[in-house]
Amino acid sequence: MVGKNCFAIASDRRLGVQLQTIATDFQRISKIHDRLFIGLSGLATDSQTLYQRLVFRHKLYQLREERDMKPETFASLVSALLYEKRFGPYFCQPVIAGLSDEDKPFICTMDSIGAKELAKDFVVAGTAGESLYGACEAMFKPDMEPDELFETVSQALLSSVDRDCLSGWGGHVYIV
Amino acid sequence: MGDSQYSFSLTTFSPSGKLVQIEHALTAVGSGQTSLGIKASNGVVIATEKKLPSILVDESSVHKIQSLTPNIGVVYSGMGPDFRVLVRKSRKQAEQYHRLYKEPIPVTQLVRETAAVMQEFTQSGGVRPFGVSLLVAGYDDKGPQLYQVDPSGSYFSWKASAMGKNVSNAKTFLEKRYVEEMELDDAVHTAILTLKEGFEGQISEKNIEIGIIGEKKEFRQY
């Protein structure tokens, strides 16, 4: 979710295989660099591998170009990587959130074969996706300060995952 | 003396530690038509002589300065056909970068990849080095930049540089005339003057070619 010169990215903490809960502290959101985060929902093994590949690409980019990747560039990279596997895809939906050089927040999500969905307010992914859309739509206000953004994101997340049996066990929220 | 025994194969070092084929390639460059580039505070200008072998040649069909992307242009000294091949490869690399990152390629990256291609041809079997030196001029987020790429694959960033037939005179002239905070228009003027220094015959708009890159644009004029 986008705020005023800041963004929030949040996920729940459950890792499960259908009805069995395997872990209640699963880290779904990972850092690419200080101003760029990616959350990968879906199949855990695919999201781990995809994350490793993305970190690999980003590290090489940093070494070659001597700078961090811009969020828009990173989103294009993720989209290209996902489409490479068009006929045998990674089963994950990424949510990308970053701050550009001028502190302008950027968010986007994609489906598992790389169709980018840019938004100015919020993006959602995962099993509780539909109810997250509803909760965010209801609670979102433009230009929220970080503290208010945190409250909004947390409430939207918790109320949506409470309605979904495959999500839950708390949440991780990152505000940048 | 010993060197000439090693000049048959590109991929063999001579006892003095040189790759003789590359030296010869640099000689080929040195006998090509003069070209030069100047980096100003708000842009870059590249220029070259365009001496055609006969007055019957249609000069509007000959383009010695080419653009690699909308904001990067290149000029050469040396063998024209080698230049065309390099331009083609560089354009493809720039487009591949854009396809992956949806961003225009930074000048440094394109120069690095072009230089890597030129280096490949100094270390493979059955090929010869490119007989051209390139002056790549571009404008990206880091500002205006000018790079020279040699047949060996080494590249340098320059504030002002010249290559080809009249290189030592041109460079001396540029050294004297170069000012740190030069504006683009002054740089164009200086470039034309430098070309005029070594020009045989009458300089006119039909026998030189100039490329100018201001912010984010590349356009050419005679």
Side-chain angles (χ1 to χ4, degrees):
Chain A
M1 195 180 282
V2 161
K4 192 170 163 130
N5 295 334
C6 62
F7 66 83
I9 181 168
S11 75
D12 72 326
R13 302 198 323 169
R14 179 181 183 269
L15 173 65
V17 175
Q18 291 170 339
L19 50 81
Q20 183 184 27
T21 304
I22 309 279
T24 58
D25 55 1
F26 187 62
Q27 271 284 12
R28 209 164 266 119
I29 298 175
S30 326
K31 186 168 92 159
I32 301 288
H33 64 77
D34 283 338
R35 296 154 72 92
L36 182 56
F37 283 73
I38 182 167
L40 289 159
S41 66
L43 193 60
T45 173
D46 281 354
S47 66
Q48 276 173 358
T49 306
L50 189 59
Y51 172 65
Q52 284 161 8
R53 280 188 73 190
L54 288 168
V55 164
F56 170 78
R57 299 298 293 256
H58 181 254
K59 279 193 186 158
L60 281 181
Y61 183 98
Q62 265 179 330
L63 285 170
R64 271 200 309 261
E65 306 217 6
E66 291 168 6
R67 61 182 175 118
D68 286 333
M69 238 192 238
K70 290 199 274 239
E72 295 85 355
T73 315
F74 184 71
S76 300
L77 175 65
V78 178
S79 176
L81 279 184
L82 288 174
Y83 195 80
E84 266 174 30
K85 302 265 185 246
R86 168 71 174 79
F87 299 107
Y90 288 110
F91 292 108
C92 37
Q93 286 114 44
V95 166
I96 297 166
L99 276 181
S100 75
D101 292 328
E102 297 92 32
D103 283 353
K104 214 161 99 28
F106 169 85
I107 51 171
C108 91
T109 183
M110 276 166 229
D111 67 3
S112 45
I113 45 177
K116 262 191 286 192
E117 195 192 302
L118 306 166
K120 294 205 179 62
D121 38 20
F122 57 85
V123 289
V124 303
T127 52
E130 272 88 24
S131 51
L132 273 170
Y133 272 124
C136 290
E137 190 70 58
M139 299 190 200
F140 178 77
K141 281 196 327 259
D143 284 337
M144 283 186 276
E145 294 293 330
D147 296 322
E148 204 193 338
L149 184 64
F150 172 74
E151 287 297 326
T152 312
V153 162
S154 314
Q155 290 300 327
L157 180 72
L158 289 175
S159 54
S160 305
V161 306
D162 279 348
R163 275 285 177 191
D164 179 22
C165 55
L166 297 175
S167 318
W169 289 102
H172 284 124
V173 182
Y174 293 82
I175 308 273
V176 178
Chain B
M1 184 59 192
D3 271 4
S4 64
Q5 290 178 329
Y6 291 85
S7 66
F8 60 86
S9 164
L10 161 69
T11 51
T12 317
F13 277 105
S14 72
S16 56
K18 293 191 282 190
L19 281 167
V20 191
Q21 280 296 306
I22 296 186
E23 306 286 321
H24 295 335
L26 286 166
T27 318
V29 168
S31 53
Q33 288 176 8
T34 313
S35 58
L36 56 95
I38 303 180
K39 183 167 75 170
S41 57
N42 56 342
V44 194
V45 58
I46 46 178
T48 181
E49 293 178 355
K50 195 165 74 155
K51 287 260 201 51
L52 298 163
S54 134
I55 53 166
L56 293 174
V57 175
D58 179 0
E59 75 268 356
S60 61
S61 69
V62 176
H63 295 304
K64 287 190 67 181
I65 298 188
Q66 299 270 4
S67 67
L68 298 179
T69 74
N71 58 329
I72 304 178
V74 64
V75 73
Y76 74 101
S77 278
M79 298 169 64
D82 285 5
F83 174 66
R84 279 202 308 274
V85 165
L86 276 172
V87 164
R88 209 181 145 88
K89 284 193 207 258
S90 302
R91 281 175 177 164
K92 191 167 176 195
Q93 274 158 349
E95 276 310 311
Q96 275 171 346
Y97 184 98
H98 182 77
R99 190 163 167 243
L100 188 57
Y101 296 110
K102 300 281 184 297
E103 229 187 24
I105 188 170
V107 184
T108 333
Q109 299 305 311
L110 186 56
V111 165
R112 185 192 298 242
E113 293 192 18
T114 309
V117 167
M118 290 171 87
Q119 194 279 342
E120 262 174 51
F121 280 70
T122 68
Q123 213 179 5
S124 313
V127 296
R128 62 164 178 82
F130 287 98
V132 283
S133 274
L134 303 174
L135 271 176
V136 181
Y139 201 117
D140 62 11
D141 293 336
K142 293 208 184 90
Q145 290 166 77
L146 178 67
Y147 286 90
Q148 177 174 343
V149 194
D150 281 338
S152 57
S154 49
Y155 60 90
F156 312 94
S157 177
W158 291 89
K159 298 179 202 167
S161 177
M163 344 182 275
K165 245 186 280 212
N166 208 22
V167 61
S168 44
N169 283 346
K171 277 201 172 162
T172 325
F173 191 86
L174 283 172
E175 268 168 33
K176 275 193 248 157
R177 282 282 184 132
Y178 185 78
V179 178
E180 273 298 324
E181 289 304 313
M182 202 186 273
E183 289 270 318
L184 192 52
D185 297 325
D186 289 333
V188 175
H189 195 61
T190 312
I192 300 181
L193 282 176
T194 317
L195 272 183
K196 200 161 125 183
E197 276 289 301
F199 209 86
E200 294 149 23
Q202 184 70 288
I203 195 169
S204 87
E205 87 255 9
K206 288 216 195 303
N207 46 26
I208 61 171
E209 221 178 305
I210 303 184
I212 303 178
I213 173 145
E215 322 223 326
K216 310 280 193 304
K217 296 200 309 301
E218 166 83 10
F219 66 97
R220 259 203 336 260
Q221 64 197 50
Y222 283 109

PDB file of all heavy atoms in Angstrom, chain B residues 16-36:
ATOM      1  N   SER B  16      57.894  -9.815 -27.089  1.00  0.00           N
ATOM      2  CA  SER B  16      57.868  -8.532 -26.384  1.00  0.00           C
ATOM      3  C   SER B  16      56.536  -8.301 -25.686  1.00  0.00           C
ATOM      4  O   SER B  16      56.323  -7.242 -25.113  1.00  0.00           O
ATOM      5  CB  SER B  16      58.119  -7.404 -27.380  1.00  0.00           C
ATOM      6  OG  SER B  16      57.167  -7.481 -28.414  1.00  0.00           O
ATOM      7  N   GLY B  17      55.666  -9.288 -25.721  1.00  0.00           N
ATOM      8  CA  GLY B  17      54.420  -9.169 -24.972  1.00  0.00           C
ATOM      9  C   GLY B  17      53.316  -8.478 -25.736  1.00  0.00           C
ATOM     10  O   GLY B  17      52.282  -8.133 -25.169  1.00  0.00           O
ATOM     11  N   LYS B  18      53.488  -8.260 -27.021  1.00  0.00           N
ATOM     12  CA  LYS B  18      52.434  -7.591 -27.794  1.00  0.00           C
ATOM     13  C   LYS B  18      51.678  -8.620 -28.612  1.00  0.00           C
ATOM     14  O   LYS B  18      52.177  -9.698 -28.918  1.00  0.00           O
ATOM     15  CB  LYS B  18      53.068  -6.574 -28.753  1.00  0.00           C
ATOM     16  CG  LYS B  18      53.719  -5.408 -28.052  1.00  0.00           C
ATOM     17  CD  LYS B  18      54.096  -4.318 -29.035  1.00  0.00           C
ATOM     18  CE  LYS B  18      55.360  -4.675 -29.773  1.00  0.00           C
ATOM     19  NZ  LYS B  18      55.879  -3.532 -30.549  1.00  0.00           N
ATOM     20  N   LEU B  19      50.475  -8.243 -28.964  1.00  0.00           N
ATOM     21  CA  LEU B  19      49.737  -9.019 -29.960  1.00  0.00           C
ATOM     22  C   LEU B  19      49.880  -8.227 -31.251  1.00  0.00           C
ATOM     23  O   LEU B  19      49.292  -7.156 -31.403  1.00  0.00           O
ATOM     24  CB  LEU B  19      48.269  -9.143 -29.579  1.00  0.00           C
ATOM     25  CG  LEU B  19      47.957 -10.187 -28.517  1.00  0.00           C
ATOM     26  CD1 LEU B  19      46.551 -10.014 -27.992  1.00  0.00           C
ATOM     27  CD2 LEU B  19      48.127 -11.579 -29.078  1.00  0.00           C
ATOM     28  N   VAL B  20      50.685  -8.742 -32.168  1.00  0.00           N
ATOM     29  CA  VAL B  20      51.067  -7.927 -33.310  1.00  0.00           C
ATOM     30  C   VAL B  20      49.869  -7.562 -34.184  1.00  0.00           C
ATOM     31  O   VAL B  20      49.787  -6.462 -34.731  1.00  0.00           O
ATOM     32  CB  VAL B  20      52.133  -8.661 -34.149  1.00  0.00           C
ATOM     33  CG1 VAL B  20      52.729  -7.728 -35.164  1.00  0.00           C
ATOM     34  CG2 VAL B  20      53.206  -9.193 -33.233  1.00  0.00           C
ATOM     35  N   GLN B  21      48.906  -8.452 -34.260  1.00  0.00           N
ATOM     36  CA  GLN B  21      47.724  -8.161 -35.066  1.00  0.00           C
ATOM     37  C   GLN B  21      46.978  -6.942 -34.575  1.00  0.00           C
ATOM     38  O   GLN B  21      46.418  -6.181 -35.360  1.00  0.00           O
ATOM     39  CB  GLN B  21      46.773  -9.368 -35.066  1.00  0.00           C
ATOM     40  CG  GLN B  21      47.176 -10.448 -36.029  1.00  0.00           C
ATOM     41  CD  GLN B  21      47.126  -9.949 -37.453  1.00  0.00           C
ATOM     42  OE1 GLN B  21      46.122  -9.432 -37.909  1.00  0.00           O
ATOM     43  NE2 GLN B  21      48.220 -10.080 -38.158  1.00  0.00           N
ATOM     44  N   ILE B  22      46.968  -6.774 -33.273  1.00  0.00           N
ATOM     45  CA  ILE B  22      46.276  -5.603 -32.733  1.00  0.00           C
ATOM     46  C   ILE B  22      47.036  -4.333 -33.079  1.00  0.00           C
ATOM     47  O   ILE B  22      46.440  -3.295 -33.391  1.00  0.00           O
ATOM     48  CB  ILE B  22      46.081  -5.749 -31.212  1.00  0.00           C
ATOM     49  CG1 ILE B  22      45.167  -6.934 -30.956  1.00  0.00           C
ATOM     50  CG2 ILE B  22      45.486  -4.499 -30.626  1.00  0.00           C
ATOM     51  CD1 ILE B  22      44.777  -7.093 -29.531  1.00  0.00           C
ATOM     52  N   GLU B  23      48.368  -4.419 -33.029  1.00  0.00           N
ATOM     53  CA  GLU B  23      49.155  -3.256 -33.449  1.00  0.00           C
ATOM     54  C   GLU B  23      48.812  -2.892 -34.893  1.00  0.00           C
ATOM     55  O   GLU B  23      48.642  -1.728 -35.231  1.00  0.00           O
ATOM     56  CB  GLU B  23      50.658  -3.569 -33.376  1.00  0.00           C
ATOM     57  CG  GLU B  23      51.127  -4.087 -32.045  1.00  0.00           C
ATOM     58  CD  GLU B  23      51.171  -2.985 -31.007  1.00  0.00           C
ATOM     59  OE1 GLU B  23      51.567  -1.864 -31.349  1.00  0.00           O
ATOM     60  OE2 GLU B  23      50.799  -3.259 -29.855  1.00  0.00           O
ATOM     61  N   HIS B  24      48.742  -3.921 -35.738  1.00  0.00           N
ATOM     62  CA  HIS B  24      48.401  -3.659 -37.141  1.00  0.00           C
ATOM     63  C   HIS B  24      47.009  -3.079 -37.269  1.00  0.00           C
ATOM     64  O   HIS B  24      46.759  -2.201 -38.103  1.00  0.00           O
ATOM     65  CB  HIS B  24      48.490  -4.956 -37.964  1.00  0.00           C
ATOM     66  CG  HIS B  24      49.876  -5.508 -38.065  1.00  0.00           C
ATOM     67  ND1 HIS B  24      50.996  -4.733 -37.949  1.00  0.00           N
ATOM     68  CD2 HIS B  24      50.313  -6.776 -38.270  1.00  0.00           C
ATOM     69  CE1 HIS B  24      52.071  -5.479 -38.074  1.00  0.00           C
ATOM     70  NE2 HIS B  24      51.696  -6.743 -38.267  1.00  0.00           N
ATOM     71  N   ALA B  25      46.093  -3.557 -36.418  1.00  0.00           N
ATOM     72  CA  ALA B  25      44.734  -3.011 -36.473  1.00  0.00           C
ATOM     73  C   ALA B  25      44.754  -1.533 -36.116  1.00  0.00           C
ATOM     74  O   ALA B  25      44.072  -0.710 -36.726  1.00  0.00           O
ATOM     75  CB  ALA B  25      43.822  -3.776 -35.518  1.00  0.00           C
ATOM     76  N   LEU B  26      45.554  -1.194 -35.111  1.00  0.00           N
ATOM     77  CA  LEU B  26      45.654   0.218 -34.729  1.00  0.00           C
ATOM     78  C   LEU B  26      46.254   1.051 -35.861  1.00  0.00           C
ATOM     79  O   LEU B  26      45.886   2.224 -36.032  1.00  0.00           O
ATOM     80  CB  LEU B  26      46.496   0.366 -33.458  1.00  0.00           C
ATOM     81  CG  LEU B  26      45.769  -0.074 -32.193  1.00  0.00           C
ATOM     82  CD1 LEU B  26      46.736  -0.246 -31.036  1.00  0.00           C
ATOM     83  CD2 LEU B  26      44.706   0.937 -31.816  1.00  0.00           C
ATOM     84  N   THR B  27      47.172   0.448 -36.619  1.00  0.00           N
ATOM     85  CA  THR B  27      47.704   1.163 -37.786  1.00  0.00           C
ATOM     86  C   THR B  27      46.612   1.401 -38.810  1.00  0.00           C
ATOM     87  O   THR B  27      46.536   2.489 -39.412  1.00  0.00           O
ATOM     88  CB  THR B  27      48.844   0.353 -38.438  1.00  0.00           C
ATOM     89  OG1 THR B  27      49.673  -0.184 -37.429  1.00  0.00           O
ATOM     90  CG2 THR B  27      49.654   1.229 -39.376  1.00  0.00           C
ATOM     91  N   ALA B  28      45.776   0.401 -38.995  1.00  0.00           N
ATOM     92  CA  ALA B  28      44.654   0.574 -39.935  1.00  0.00           C
ATOM     93  C   ALA B  28      43.779   1.730 -39.487  1.00  0.00           C
ATOM     94  O   ALA B  28      43.303   2.535 -40.292  1.00  0.00           O
ATOM     95  CB  ALA B  28      43.838  -0.718 -40.016  1.00  0.00           C
ATOM     96  N   VAL B  29      43.557   1.813 -38.184  1.00  0.00           N
ATOM     97  CA  VAL B  29      42.764   2.917 -37.655  1.00  0.00           C
ATOM     98  C   VAL B  29      43.468   4.236 -37.917  1.00  0.00           C
ATOM     99  O   VAL B  29      42.860   5.232 -38.315  1.00  0.00           O
ATOM    100  CB  VAL B  29      42.544   2.736 -36.140  1.00  0.00           C
ATOM    101  CG1 VAL B  29      41.982   3.993 -35.523  1.00  0.00           C
ATOM    102  CG2 VAL B  29      41.647   1.566 -35.881  1.00  0.00           C
ATOM    103  N   GLY B  30      44.766   4.226 -37.692  1.00  0.00           N
ATOM    104  CA  GLY B  30      45.522   5.464 -37.829  1.00  0.00           C
ATOM    105  C   GLY B  30      45.585   5.987 -39.245  1.00  0.00           C
ATOM    106  O   GLY B  30      45.899   7.156 -39.461  1.00  0.00           O
ATOM    107  N   SER B  31      45.283   5.138 -40.210  1.00  0.00           N
ATOM    108  CA  SER B  31      45.282   5.645 -41.580  1.00  0.00           C
ATOM    109  C   SER B  31      43.869   5.915 -42.057  1.00  0.00           C
ATOM    110  O   SER B  31      43.648   6.228 -43.221  1.00  0.00           O
ATOM    111  CB  SER B  31      45.969   4.660 -42.510  1.00  0.00           C
ATOM    112  OG  SER B  31      45.386   3.399 -42.358  1.00  0.00           O
ATOM    113  N   GLY B  32      42.907   5.805 -41.155  1.00  0.00           N
ATOM    114  CA  GLY B  32      41.531   6.119 -41.521  1.00  0.00           C
ATOM    115  C   GLY B  32      41.283   7.605 -41.392  1.00  0.00           C
ATOM    116  O   GLY B  32      42.123   8.364 -40.910  1.00  0.00           O
ATOM    117  N   GLN B  33      40.111   8.031 -41.835  1.00  0.00           N
ATOM    118  CA  GLN B  33      39.803   9.461 -41.803  1.00  0.00           C
ATOM    119  C   GLN B  33      39.650   9.953 -40.377  1.00  0.00           C
ATOM    120  O   GLN B  33      39.157   9.243 -39.510  1.00  0.00           O
ATOM    121  CB  GLN B  33      38.533   9.726 -42.601  1.00  0.00           C
ATOM    122  CG  GLN B  33      38.775   9.572 -44.079  1.00  0.00           C
ATOM    123  CD  GLN B  33      37.507   9.732 -44.870  1.00  0.00           C
ATOM    124  OE1 GLN B  33      36.476  10.106 -44.327  1.00  0.00           O
ATOM    125  NE2 GLN B  33      37.580   9.455 -46.141  1.00  0.00           N
ATOM    126  N   THR B  34      40.043  11.206 -40.184  1.00  0.00           N
ATOM    127  CA  THR B  34      40.038  11.771 -38.833  1.00  0.00           C
ATOM    128  C   THR B  34      38.624  11.860 -38.291  1.00  0.00           C
ATOM    129  O   THR B  34      37.697  12.270 -38.987  1.00  0.00           O
ATOM    130  CB  THR B  34      40.592  13.204 -38.871  1.00  0.00           C
ATOM    131  OG1 THR B  34      41.786  13.181 -39.641  1.00  0.00           O
ATOM    132  CG2 THR B  34      40.912  13.707 -37.472  1.00  0.00           C
ATOM    133  N   SER B  35      38.484  11.502 -37.017  1.00  0.00           N
ATOM    134  CA  SER B  35      37.224  11.781 -36.344  1.00  0.00           C
ATOM    135  C   SER B  35      37.556  12.232 -34.933  1.00  0.00           C
ATOM    136  O   SER B  35      38.630  11.932 -34.405  1.00  0.00           O
ATOM    137  CB  SER B  35      36.313  10.565 -36.326  1.00  0.00           C
ATOM    138  OG  SER B  35      36.948   9.501 -35.699  1.00  0.00           O
ATOM    139  N   LEU B  36      36.638  12.979 -34.329  1.00  0.00           N
ATOM    140  CA  LEU B  36      36.916  13.495 -33.000  1.00  0.00           C
ATOM    141  C   LEU B  36      35.619  13.677 -32.231  1.00  0.00           C
ATOM    142  O   LEU B  36      34.533  13.677 -32.815  1.00  0.00           O
ATOM    143  CB  LEU B  36      37.666  14.831 -33.094  1.00  0.00           C
ATOM    144  CG  LEU B  36      36.988  15.923 -33.894  1.00  0.00           C
ATOM    145  CD1 LEU B  36      36.174  16.854 -33.010  1.00  0.00           C
ATOM    146  CD2 LEU B  36      38.048  16.757 -34.613  1.00  0.00           C
TER     147      LEU B  36
END
